[in-house]
Amino acid sequence: MQVFGTHDENTKAQLAQVAERARKVALMADGHVGYVMPIGGVAAYENAVSVVGVGFDIACGNAAIRTDATLADLGATPEEVQRRLAQLADRIAETVSFGIGRKNRADDAPTDDALFDDPAWEAVPAKHRQALHTRARQQLGTVGSGNHYVDVFVDEQGALWVGVHFGSRGFGHTVASNFLALGQGKAWGERVPEIEVLLDLDAPVGDAYWHLMNLAGRYAYAGREWVARRVVGILGGREMELVHNHHNFAWKEKHEGRELVVVRKGATPAFPGQKGFVGGSMGDDAVIVRGKASDRSRAALYSTVHGAGRVMGRMEAKGKWKGGTCVRPGKINWPAWQTTLRAQGVELRGGGADEAPQCYKRLADVLAHHADTIDVLHTLRPVGVAMAGQDTFDPYKD
């Protein structure tokens, strides 16, 4: 068991429970309590996959594109640059769909992607297939809410990057929810408790889940790349480099000469030489990392963090509201944070108290625990952040 950083007792207890059923486990420094398996957890199984391990937002992940545009291209003075960033932030917020149940409203939405003809759709019961297919087609390239975002960054050389974070939307949530039911002997559409369900990949239900999970992975990749490239176009730049990873997924991998199914829940693959994009918060730097070989990276099944890690729950941050009345105040002064972000030069569209930087650890502190497993190639400073607004509810958030 490889554990990076320090964690509360509930998070460690969750990891210990997962370890009882897994061959190997690890916990990243950004870890915290999740559904059954902690966020930041990694678990390896023999020919089986954990439905709650992969999670409800199957294939949630990060994509970053380095462009040939620079911050200096936006204006000759700081004031001109900030005005231009404000205009770009407005266009991003107007072009990309954020929030629950949203349809991709763009004229060039990727509704004809080849993934919609994949045979894996046959694993969905016939009476539910068309509705799910239609919903997935409409939502491809939408971002959702919660901690999902579209960001514009500037690196240490002044180059502009576009970063996005989201997953397979309602499609992945539907697959996860229903295979959780099927794994408990219930029917598609029945609500069941969120408990550990390990599916044997040689069994029909496990094989069906595996194919639909991988289809959700293709779906998430297609959505993130469409959004990121659309924003690159808004910036007027060209794509120079793409760094793209899932961090809620399962892979068949060889470790110590043995094939294992490795489930990463809020953890980024980081094999030696493999690049990853890791975000911080709306007011903190993000990074491009590259995995490297070490004893601890092998023990971590070549995994690293996927973000900074929450230190404050959403309700604790924003308070509790009922009928438009605050019945319990939150700990975050959101107007003050908006002023702070503006002073830092961050053009924010959307967001809310539950995503304020104070809700997260500092990414640099988290990364320090992984120094012998990854190299930081680029540090990315946010200059534009677009998210769903604070009143938007989304059950598919990570």
Side-chain angles (χ1 to χ4, degrees):
M1 182 185 296
Q2 178 65 61
V3 176
F4 296 86
T6 58
H7 303 276
D8 61 48
E9 292 303 317
N10 290 336
T11 302
K12 291 188 287 187
Q14 277 197 329
L15 186 70
Q17 291 169 358
V18 172
E20 293 175 2
R21 296 176 290 275
R23 183 174 179 84
K24 288 187 172 185
V25 297
L27 182 63
M28 306 301 103
D30 60 335
H32 55 91
V33 170
Y35 290 118
V36 180
M37 180 173 172
I39 309 300
V42 181
Y45 304 90
E46 293 193 12
N47 203 48
V49 62
S50 168
V51 176
V52 287
V54 173
F56 290 96
D57 193 0
I58 297 173
C60 189
N62 292 335
I65 293 177
R66 177 172 59 86
T67 78
D68 65 346
T70 69
L71 193 65
D73 293 336
L74 302 184
T77 66
E79 293 76 18
E80 288 179 3
V81 170
Q82 208 60 41
R83 280 197 298 272
R84 182 64 179 139
L85 283 172
Q87 293 168 356
L88 292 170
D90 287 340
R91 283 197 61 195
I92 292 167
E94 291 164 1
T95 302
V96 180
S97 296
F98 297 86
I100 180 175
R102 297 297 300 276
K103 299 177 182 178
N104 192 332
R105 59 199 179 201
D107 293 338
D108 59 341
T111 55
D112 59 350
D113 193 285
L115 69 88
F116 292 110
D117 297 320
D118 194 287
W121 287 100
E122 298 299 317
V124 179
K127 67 178 182 178
H128 301 287
R129 191 178 306 143
Q130 188 56 53
L132 181 58
H133 194 272
T134 299
R135 182 185 188 190
R137 192 184 292 273
Q138 292 172 339
Q139 284 195 330
L140 184 58
T142 64
V143 175
S145 65
N147 59 353
H148 297 156
Y149 59 75
V150 176
D151 283 5
V152 177
F153 301 99
V154 59
D155 71 11
E156 59 284 330
Q157 301 298 322
L160 293 179
W161 291 67
V162 174
V164 301
H165 169 217
F166 60 95
S168 53
R169 305 296 290 116
F171 173 40
H173 191 275
T174 299
V175 170
S177 299
N178 285 289
F179 276 87
L180 191 62
L182 295 175
Q184 295 181 47
K186 302 297 183 180
W188 186 284
E190 287 193 57
R191 293 181 65 90
V192 294
E194 290 151 357
I195 62 174
E196 180 74 280
V197 171
L198 292 178
L199 301 180
D200 183 343
L201 297 188
D202 288 334
V205 67
D207 180 70
Y209 172 80
W210 187 259
H211 282 88
L212 281 171
M213 181 202 73
N214 277 282
L215 183 61
R218 286 180 60 194
Y219 181 92
Y221 264 114
R224 287 192 292 265
E225 290 181 8
W226 181 86
V227 171
R229 287 174 173 142
R230 195 73 158 75
V231 175
V232 169
I234 291 172
L235 295 180
R238 289 185 302 149
E239 178 180 333
M240 306 303 291
E241 178 183 6
L242 170 68
V243 180
H244 199 171
N245 312 88
H246 299 319
H247 52 236
N248 285 10
F249 208 63
W251 294 261
K252 291 181 180 179
E253 299 173 355
K254 278 199 171 180
H255 293 272
E256 300 176 357
R258 189 185 200 94
E259 184 176 85
L260 298 171
V261 176
V262 178
V263 174
R264 295 182 177 89
K265 184 176 187 178
T268 304
F271 285 87
Q274 183 177 15
K275 293 181 181 180
F277 164 48
V278 178
S281 71
M282 62 175 66
D284 197 4
D285 292 340
V287 291
I288 303 296
V289 300
R290 181 173 60 202
K292 60 184 181 182
S294 71
D295 290 341
R296 290 217 302 167
S297 59
R298 283 188 290 274
L301 298 163
Y302 297 106
S303 310
T304 192
V305 298
H306 82 306
R310 291 192 74 92
V311 293
M312 188 182 299
R314 295 182 183 279
M315 194 73 72
E316 184 182 4
K318 65 184 179 182
K320 186 174 181 180
W321 295 74
K322 189 172 183 181
T325 302
C326 181
V327 296
R328 187 172 72 238
K331 292 184 176 180
I332 299 298
N333 184 333
W334 180 232
W337 267 112
Q338 290 174 297
T339 300
T340 298
L341 291 167
R342 194 174 300 115
Q344 289 179 204
V346 178
E347 285 293 334
L348 175 65
R349 300 295 180 272
D354 56 346
E355 285 299 318
Q358 193 177 338
C359 298
Y360 290 88
K361 302 174 186 177
R362 291 299 309 276
L363 183 59
D365 297 337
V366 171
L367 291 170
H369 294 289
H370 291 260
D372 59 342
T373 69
I374 55 171
D375 290 317
V376 176
L377 302 181
H378 294 286
T379 299
L380 311 179
R381 176 173 61 88
V383 292
V385 176
M387 310 178 75
Q390 61 182 341
D391 298 326
T392 304
F393 171 76
D394 188 348
Y396 314 127
K397 61 194 173 192
D398 180 18

